[in-house]
């Protein structure tokens, strides 16, 4: 599900929102890779969009499993748009610092 900031929109804003959400949904099939260490972080699970500006604010990756990857999920990982360096056909390259990587992926 794509997350948006809520408020009332006129017809033109709703049309623009549909276009932005369509483009954002294309991100959900791409794998995210950290360029600082080459680690595969997973696939985009969700995006956060500011409909007033029409910009994607962040991508969201699902958290890891808690019990042998079978039961439950930990918190989601939110990667701000500023950390995204390149969006390709199949992958998204991000530049996450070592502190973030240790906190969430080690």
């Amino acid at each position: 599900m794509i997350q948006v900031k809520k408020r009332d929109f006129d017809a033109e804003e709703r049309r623009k929102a549909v276009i932005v959400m369509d483009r954002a949904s294309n991100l959900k099939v791409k794998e995210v890779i950290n360029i600082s260490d080459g680690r595969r972080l997973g696939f985009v699970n969700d995006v956060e969009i500011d409909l007033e500006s029409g910009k994607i604010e962040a991508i969201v990756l699902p958290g890891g499993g808690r019990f042998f990857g079978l039961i439950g999920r930990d918190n989601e990982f939110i990667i701000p748009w500023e950390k995204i360096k390149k969006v390709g056909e199949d992958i998204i390259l991000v530049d996450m610092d070592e502190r973030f990587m240790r906190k969430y992926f080690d």
Side-chain angles (χ1 to χ4, degrees), residues 2 20-32 42-49 56-61 81 84 86-92:
I2 297 173
V20 169
M21 286 189 286
D22 180 54
R23 289 181 182 156
S25 67
N26 291 331
L27 295 176
K28 295 179 82 173
V29 297
K30 299 179 189 291
E31 185 173 18
V32 179
F43 286 84
V44 176
N45 185 47
D46 208 348
V47 294
E48 293 183 0
I49 300 171
I56 297 173
E57 293 183 339
I59 58 175
V60 182
L61 305 179
W81 189 255
I84 296 174
K86 180 77 173 171
V87 177
E89 287 185 36
D90 300 325
I91 62 171
I92 298 173

Side-chain angles (χ1 to χ4, degrees), residues 62-77 104:
R66 286 184 278 200
F67 184 69
F68 297 108
L70 301 173
I71 300 173
R73 285 279 198 208
D74 286 335
N75 294 330
E76 296 175 321
F77 309 118
Y104 293 109

Side-chain angles (χ1 to χ4, degrees), residues 2 6 18 22 25 79 83 93 99:
I2 297 173
K6 295 182 180 181
V18 169
D22 180 54
S25 67
I79 299 177
K83 296 291 187 177
L93 298 176
R99 187 178 59 207

Side-chain angles (χ1 to χ4, degrees), residues 4-18:
V4 295
K5 293 182 178 178
K6 295 182 180 181
R7 72 172 188 84
D8 293 327
F9 297 100
D10 63 26
E12 178 62 18
E13 289 174 318
R14 284 192 300 273
R15 184 187 69 75
K16 289 178 183 176
V18 169

